[in-house]
Structure formats: structure tokens, C-alpha cells
Amino acid sequence: MKTTLKKLKDISSENCITIIMNSHRTKPDYLKDELILKNHIKEVETRLLADTTKKDATTLIDKLHALAREIDHSRNLDSLLLFVNHDVAEYTRLPIKVVDRVIIDNTFATRDLVRSIHAESNYYLLVLSQDKARLIEALNDKVVKEFGSPFPMENEQSFTKNKTQAAAASRQSSLIGEFFNRVDKEVNSIRKQNPLPVLISTVEENYSEYLKVADEKQSIYDTYLNKNRMAEKDHAIVSEAYRIIETYNIKRNNDRKAELLKAVSENKFLSDTNEIWRAISQGKIQTLFIEQGLFQPAILENDKIVYVSEDQRADKDVIDDIYDEMIEMNMDFGGDVVFLPKGELDKFNGFGAVTRY
């Protein structure tokens, strides 16, 4: 998904078509998705024929139909996005609900890709005991893969196998620390290729000892999945771990909202759309806050945003969603975005920004 976002967000050309629609994971519901997609393509055709040459419209519609034929709807997730212009034809499935819409603009609508990346939790799960360590990559409550060599790692000098050396408590601690240190180095070696955060599944004593030897403590969640789960199946451990991750994400989201309230009190907050637009173009915005499901067609007149109605979306100069435009623009300046549930930004009309200074 991050690769798709990186590829699409910098493309700028005429008639970039984005189809965004909810889809279904199970039968018989997913059987309806093909027809829904055909209806969206029909909307694209109507709008293109009104705004561009018949030759261009036909070429793009043919590409859309060809792309649609590639989609196996039995593998759908919660939403489906199609991206087509004269040079691009690709689709992606997302595990989040969206607002169905068709967007034809000079750029692709990538906001839901950004939101999905923020909504998903991709992490490593280190299943740890004093004798053994397993490493699993997980996405939300699903196993991506469990790593092979050098995992699972065995503590070959475990005090349970060397009772003479383990007689002294200090020696026991030393052997365990050495093993945890080796495990940590292997975990960090894997993280160099894909630097995801690490959640540890172990008992309290081991969690504390591991943190003592960890080289990159900032990459480890400040919470853990208690209990020795070494003998459990990977999917069972991940399913339990995701409950911890969800709780952590709620706390993180609340922390971001606290940043927003602090910025308001420090007069570092903007809520006027045109003020935000100008500040983004000057690189002054750190974080955009937007409610999920908020969209606004607009036009630019003398570099000023003017809202238009949904009925005017098909007009050639209309930007289908000005918020999507600002999110992409702010990301280009190194800013970020926080998506909040509907209603949490009511006093700011659903949209606001925290300035860098």
C-alpha cells in the first residue's frame, strides 16, 4: 500500500480517474460488487464524454473495463480503489470502509490510501521465553509470516540444560541476558529491512530483562502480551496481541487529539480552509486533522479556495476533493495527517491544522 501511495501521489496529468467503493469479503455480498463497479465506470464514462474528446474518453473507458476484468471479487476486502489514466491502470483493496465516489482530476485521490496506512497496524511479535524466541510479522489481527532461520532461536546455554553453571542466581541472569541480547540483535537485523515496531509476548520478568539489553528500546511497545505462549499457534497469539495493539492505538489517537487542544491554546491552530491552504504552500503546517468521511468539491480562483456544490463536481475546473489535495500537498512538505471519527472536530467544521511555529 505504501508503494502504491508513493507511486500515485506524485502523478499529475489530465483525467486521472479514481474509483473508490465499498466492497464485501464474503458471499453472497461480494457478488454485488461487480455490478456496483460497472455503475461507477458508467459514471466515469458520462463525465469524460462531457469533458474530453471521444477518442480520449474511449481509450480511458477501455482501460477501466480491462482493469475491472482483472479483479477477482471473491478476494475483496472492505473497499476497492481503481486508478486509471493514460499511463496507469491499477487497483488495490483496503481493509477499511470508505465513502463511494468517482473522482476525475489532475491527480489521483489517495486520501483513503493514507487513511488505511494509518488505520492498519503492521508490527513484529516477538514470542519470548528464557529458552526460546519466535518472531512473527503481523498486520492487525492477521499473520503475515513467521520468520525462519535464525528463528526460532534456542538458548543453547539455558540454565535448565546446564544445572552446574546455573547454580548461582547471578549466573542464571547472565545466561538469560546473553540469550536476550542475541535475540535482540537478530530482531534489529530484520528491522533494518522493514523497520516495524515490536510487541513482546512473554512474562513480566522476561519483558523487564529484555528491555535492559535492547539496543533500540524506542522500537518496542511500552506494553506487552503477558503469559508464556511459546507453544501456541501463530494466528492465536496474533489474535490476542491485536487487542493490545488496538488499546495502544486508541491511546495514541487520544494523544494526538491532546496535541490539537494544546495547539489551540497556544494559538498554533488554523481552521479556516484558505488560511490552511496558504500555510501549507509555505511549508508551515505540521499536522492536518480531518474527520473521516469529510469531502468538499472546490475550485481555485486567484489561488483562493471556493467551495462548490456536489452538482458541480463534473465541471472541468472543479477539484473533486480539496481536502485530499491539501493532504497530499502537506505530505510533500513533510507534514502528516490525523483522521478522527466523525463528530470529533465539530467545533472546527471537521477540519483543522497545527502549525510548526
Side-chain angles (χ1 to χ4, degrees):
M1 202 180 307
K2 289 180 180 178
T3 303
T4 301
L5 175 62
K6 185 176 180 180
K7 175 183 177 181
L8 296 177
K9 77 181 189 67
D10 294 328
I11 293 174
S12 180
S13 68
E14 286 191 352
N15 296 322
C16 288
I17 303 160
T18 310
I19 295 177
I20 301 171
M21 57 174 276
N22 286 297
S23 55
H24 303 85
R25 295 173 181 256
T26 56
K27 195 175 181 178
D29 290 332
Y30 73 68
L31 298 175
K32 307 171 189 174
D33 293 341
E34 183 176 0
L35 178 58
I36 293 170
L37 177 55
K38 285 181 179 178
N39 290 335
H40 287 314
I41 293 175
K42 185 64 178 175
E43 180 185 342
V44 172
E45 183 175 7
T46 301
R47 291 176 59 180
L48 283 177
L49 288 172
D51 287 339
T52 189
T53 66
K54 186 175 181 180
K55 180 180 178 181
D56 275 352
T58 301
T59 300
L60 291 166
I61 292 301
D62 287 347
K63 286 188 76 169
L64 261 177
H65 281 300
L67 182 62
R69 286 193 293 271
E70 295 178 14
I71 300 172
D72 179 358
H73 290 285
S74 68
R75 301 178 64 185
N76 282 351
L77 300 177
D78 296 313
S79 55
L80 181 64
L81 279 66
L82 284 75
F83 304 94
V84 169
N85 67 8
H86 284 292
D87 302 311
V88 173
E90 61 180 87
Y91 69 91
T92 189
R93 298 180 175 93
L94 302 182
I96 59 171
K97 291 296 182 183
V98 296
V99 176
D100 282 38
R101 59 200 190 279
V102 169
I103 298 145
I104 304 174
D105 213 327
N106 292 326
T107 59
F108 289 114
T110 57
R111 187 217 298 198
D112 286 307
L113 284 174
V114 177
R115 182 164 70 90
S116 186
I117 290 168
H118 282 257
E120 287 188 342
S121 293
N122 195 192
Y123 57 99
Y124 296 124
L125 180 59
L126 177 61
V127 187
L128 185 69
S129 73
Q130 296 179 359
D131 298 315
K132 189 176 180 179
R134 297 165 58 189
L135 187 65
I136 301 165
E137 182 183 342
L139 180 65
N140 293 345
D141 60 348
K142 300 292 189 294
V143 175
V144 175
K145 65 178 177 180
E146 179 159 356
F147 287 87
S149 181
F151 290 95
M153 293 180 65
E154 303 275 353
N155 186 357
E156 297 174 355
Q157 295 190 357
S158 169
F159 61 86
T160 58
K161 299 176 183 177
N162 194 331
K163 295 180 180 178
T164 303
Q165 289 184 338
S170 60
R171 181 55 179 163
Q172 288 184 15
S173 179
S174 175
L175 291 173
I176 294 167
E178 289 173 13
F179 175 58
F180 286 177
N181 187 50
R182 287 195 295 115
V183 171
D184 185 63
K185 284 180 167 35
E186 293 296 347
V187 170
N188 288 329
S189 177
I190 289 171
R191 286 191 70 255
K192 285 181 181 177
Q193 306 301 318
N194 190 13
L196 302 175
V198 181
L199 179 69
I200 300 177
S201 173
T202 191
V203 297
E204 182 178 359
E205 176 188 356
N206 293 340
Y207 178 74
S208 301
E209 289 300 316
Y210 189 91
L211 288 182
K212 290 179 183 178
V213 301
D215 290 331
E216 299 180 17
K217 294 179 178 61
Q218 75 282 356
S219 70
I220 301 172
Y221 282 98
D222 58 5
T223 184
Y224 63 99
L225 179 60
N226 205 342
K227 189 181 172 184
N228 185 343
R229 301 173 185 271
M230 191 60 67
E232 294 183 21
K233 299 287 187 181
D234 53 5
H235 62 84
I237 309 172
V238 168
S239 179
E240 192 74 18
Y242 186 56
R243 298 180 189 177
I244 302 288
I245 298 294
E246 281 187 304
T247 301
Y248 182 90
N249 288 343
I250 290 171
K251 179 182 180 299
R252 183 184 61 186
N253 202 41
N254 288 336
D255 289 344
R256 297 308 302 267
K257 283 190 287 186
E259 290 178 28
L260 172 65
L261 296 176
K262 185 171 184 286
V264 172
S265 68
E266 294 176 349
N267 201 28
K268 292 171 60 179
F269 178 78
L270 300 175
S271 59
D272 179 80
T273 307
N274 274 292
E275 287 185 7
I276 295 171
W277 175 263
R278 288 191 293 271
I280 290 174
S281 65
Q282 296 165 4
K284 293 181 179 179
I285 299 299
Q286 176 59 52
T287 305
L288 293 173
F289 288 82
I290 185 167
E291 287 187 358
Q292 297 172 13
L294 184 67
F295 306 97
Q296 179 59 60
I299 58 173
L300 291 176
E301 291 184 351
N302 300 318
D303 204 33
K304 183 178 180 181
I305 294 169
V306 178
Y307 291 164
V308 299
S309 68
E310 284 289 321
D311 296 337
Q312 296 172 271
R313 285 177 62 225
D315 292 354
K316 190 172 182 63
D317 294 331
V318 170
I319 299 169
D320 272 301
D321 180 18
I322 193 64
Y323 299 129
D324 185 77
E325 197 84 5
M326 287 195 279
I327 288 168
E328 291 187 9
M329 189 173 167
N330 195 48
M331 289 173 63
D332 289 339
F333 279 98
D336 65 343
V337 59
V338 175
F339 297 94
L340 297 176
K342 188 173 178 59
E344 297 206 11
L345 291 174
D346 274 352
K347 64 171 67 175
F348 308 115
N349 295 317
F351 184 66
V354 173
T355 59
R356 298 181 190 274
Y357 46 83

